Amino acid sequence: MPASTSASPRNRMATRLRSIPPTIFSEMSALALRTGSLNLGQGFPDRDGPASVVEAAVEALRAGRNQYAPGPGVPELRQAVAEHQARHYGIELDPTSQVIVTAGATEAVAAAVFALVEPGEEMVVLEPYYDSYVACIEMAGGVRRPVTLRAPDFRLDVDALRAAVTDRTRTILLNTPHNPTGAMLDRDELQAVADVALEHDLVVVTDEVYEHLVFDGRRHVPLCTLPGMWDRTVTISSAGKTFSFTGWKVGWVTGPAELVSIVLAAKQWLTFTNAAPLQPAVAHALTQEAGFYEELAGGLQTKRDLLVSGLRELDMDVYLPEATYFATADVRRYGFRDSMEFCLALPERAGVVAIPEQVFFDDQDAGRHLVRWAFCKETSVIEDALGRLAAADLYA
Ligand SMILES: Cc1ncc(COP(=O)(O)O)c(C=O)c1O
């Protein structure tokens, strides 16, 4: 065997990957399994989506739809996405040139970033981040320019947004409704993003996977519907959250044909295509099961209220999320140095797993004290978790 010189596995890793930590979700879900804890960490629902959609997938498997789907997606799903955009938002799309199917929103984000960001270019992005954004920008050789959403209400600081744009910025990566804070950009905030994009000739990639999981009668407004924004917006969504099939990884990209074809140019070299038998099932979901996500949002709102009021009874400061699966709490009163320490101690002390939100911030002062809790779980699980937290010693 040749003598090893500098060839430790870590040294072999490309430098651009070394600064990207492993995803916190694997670590915390493994911790939940290892300790038998209730997992209020990773954002997946306890209950699957509609049975008719599963049936449609089974039918597609039996009907032999098991070979490569077309790279841009099966025609019926591209058509169904176009109809969905028209029905909900009045956006008219040509399914053959303005819609592509991706391996979840994750691949859509990766393809958009790889396709639009040159090495050394800056991408403005809201923090706390969905963690794949950081990884994708790094892998593209880009530079992230964070705009911090600050507790307790996580509103967009328009001056900070303006200050983040430099002469090296060509893109913004937006996420609304926002993971992990549960905030939704309101009309004025969306308009501010649009103004900045128009002034500086920026393209905006907007991740809207929680578009339907919104509460208290709110309505999601896609950024691309604001005046002047259609031509410069790449919109991303996915069946994972809307239909409670997070494991299927079927997402989509919509927008003007020129931008969609640019994203496809990168996407074709990532997976090329995925989930052939699931794509027709998601088409079925979009056309036949719209009632599902309305009901899902209502149920989630009730669970949000249960979790938030329970955490508040434990004296945490909790921001009431406007959307998504998640609530954010300030845990400073328990005396831990940071939320990572708090979350690593939590399984032992209470048998509950939550996510240290600080890992989604560059600005550690803004995120050090924040913990993300998922409420997309069965009511009994949330009640059990709250009971365990109430019975535990949570102090450092
Ligand atoms: C903001 C955001 N974007 C993208 C994704 C990933 O979506 P998908 O599972 O469709 O790849 C998630 C999943 O948690 C998310 O929260």
Side-chain angles (χ1 to χ4, degrees), residues 28 44-45 118 138 143 172 200-201 242 299 322 332 353 368:
M28 297 317 271
F44 60 86
E118 294 279 12
E138 289 282 330
V143 177
I172 298 175
H200 295 273
D201 191 22
T242 298
E322 298 166 322
R332 265 177 294 199
V353 161
R368 187 173 291 121

Side-chain angles (χ1 to χ4, degrees), residues 4 16 23 33 41-42 58 65 106 121 123 130 169-170 179 194 234 250 258 269 279 295 321 335 358 369:
S4 150
R16 68 184 176 284
T23 171
L33 266 182
Q42 201 170 1
V58 171
R65 300 190 68 170
T106 307
E121 256 177 30
M123 188 170 215
Y130 180 60
T169 312
R170 287 190 44 214
N179 174 10
V234 172
V250 176
E258 300 71 29
W269 304 119
Q279 291 192 26
E295 227 171 89
Q358 73 192 97
H369 52 290

Side-chain angles (χ1 to χ4, degrees), residues 178-238:
H178 183 256
N179 174 10
T181 66
M184 293 173 74
L185 296 189
D186 64 22
R187 270 270 175 197
D188 291 346
E189 290 166 327
L190 287 172
Q191 189 59 56
V193 174
D195 291 345
V196 168
L198 289 162
E199 246 168 66
H200 295 273
D201 191 22
L202 308 178
V203 166
V204 186
V205 177
T206 163
D207 174 347
E208 304 185 357
V209 296
Y210 296 100
E211 61 185 315
H212 291 298
L213 307 188
V214 305
F215 311 137
D216 307 314
R218 289 183 178 82
R219 289 260 158 241
H220 170 68
V221 178
L223 182 76
C224 69
T225 59
L226 270 70
M229 287 308 292
W230 168 251
D231 287 336
R232 56 181 66 251
T233 305
V234 172
T235 304
I236 292 171
S237 196
S238 150

Side-chain angles (χ1 to χ4, degrees), residues 25 42-44 102-109 129-133 174-180 207-210 236-241 245-252 324-326 372:
F25 301 112
Q42 201 170 1
F44 60 86
T102 55
T106 307
E107 188 197 29
V109 169
Y129 315 105
Y130 180 60
D131 61 356
S132 84
Y133 299 173
L174 204 68
N175 169 218
T176 181
H178 183 256
N179 174 10
D207 174 347
E208 304 185 357
V209 296
Y210 296 100
I236 292 171
S237 196
S238 150
K241 314 293 170 180
F245 288 118
T246 59
W248 284 19
K249 299 295 278 188
V250 176
W252 47 87
T324 75
Y325 283 167
F326 311 111
R372 191 193 83 171

